[in-house]
Amino acid sequence: MDTAASLGIMEIIGIAGSASLLAGWRLYIVILGTGLAMRSGVVPLPEHLESLQVLANPWVLGIAGFGALAEFFADKVPWLDSAWDTVHTLVRPVGGAMLALAIVDPGDPAMQVIAFLLGGGGALLAHGGKAGARAAINTSPEPVSNIAMSTAEDVATVGLMWFVYEYPWAAAGVAALLLALAIGLMLAVRRLFRKVFGREKKAEG
């Protein structure tokens, strides 16, 4: 199938990038939300993304639903969220890579390889930023900031996933914004940890 007949290359890359980066935050919600949207017809995907119809399979929806529910609660408990993130250090990047692989043109092997690598890399970067930020937040004894951050991630993931499927022309912008946010989080967490460990070394000295 000619991809130009349904979506432009920038729109496809934008959707793939957005899905991969969001999978680094909430893989199960991305899979569940996409599957439910396709099954209900609320967000009809372009014809080019028909390979994602597998996400509407009842078994896939059931497993994704269970994972999303478990993640919803685990992610709001200080330190349990960090343990959950650690377990998913491999799962989220692989899931993000597979989502990107399903979105790009299956008739272009080179694009498939690029999508797989960049999708996995994007999901890993987003996961790293999220996990680092949550580990930093967990140093605070109160649970409110943890719950607030987790809820914001839930809402942002669902809202942005709906947005990029409904308005694919804006998907590249969303992907760029998510990428900048992920990089910003990584740098901020790095500076915070260096500052904290620097103080500890001075105190020991």
Side-chain angles (χ1 to χ4, degrees):
M1 174 180 175
D2 185 3
T3 59
S6 52
L7 288 177
I9 184 65
M10 290 305 299
E11 292 172 328
I12 294 169
I13 292 174
I15 292 174
S18 297
S20 299
L21 287 160
L22 289 173
W25 288 356
R26 293 285 192 275
L27 174 62
Y28 301 112
I29 289 181
V30 171
I31 293 174
L32 178 64
T34 303
L36 287 175
M38 288 187 294
R39 193 171 183 83
S40 64
V42 172
V43 182
L45 297 180
E47 292 181 3
H48 174 66
L49 304 185
E50 286 181 353
S51 57
L52 287 177
Q53 287 291 341
V54 67
L55 301 184
N57 181 284
W59 284 99
V60 175
L61 288 175
I63 294 172
F66 178 80
L69 187 64
E71 185 168 62
F72 178 83
F73 290 106
D75 201 63
K76 292 173 176 58
V77 180
W79 297 114
L80 179 58
D81 62 337
S82 291
W84 182 271
D85 285 338
T86 301
V87 171
H88 285 78
T89 299
L90 178 62
V91 177
R92 286 173 181 158
V94 171
M98 295 303 292
L99 281 170
L101 197 63
I103 289 170
V104 301
D105 185 2
D108 188 341
M111 184 62 74
Q112 288 263 291
V113 173
I114 292 171
F116 186 83
L117 295 175
L118 294 183
L124 180 61
L125 180 62
H127 166 77
K130 171 198 181 303
R134 299 302 287 280
I137 290 174
N138 283 337
T139 60
S140 173
E142 50 82 25
V144 177
S145 56
N146 189 287
I147 295 174
M149 178 64 79
S150 178
T151 302
E153 290 170 3
D154 292 333
V155 174
T157 300
V158 173
L160 290 174
M161 208 65 239
W162 171 84
F163 185 80
V164 298
Y165 284 140
E166 185 71 11
Y167 304 104
W169 54 267
V174 172
L177 179 63
L178 289 170
L179 181 60
L181 179 59
I183 294 173
L185 280 174
M186 291 285 285
L187 293 176
V189 169
R190 181 187 175 192
R191 285 196 297 268
L192 177 61
F193 282 140
R194 289 181 66 180
K195 186 176 180 180
V196 170
F197 288 123
R199 285 179 179 175
E200 290 181 354
K201 287 182 179 179
K202 288 181 180 180
E204 290 174 359

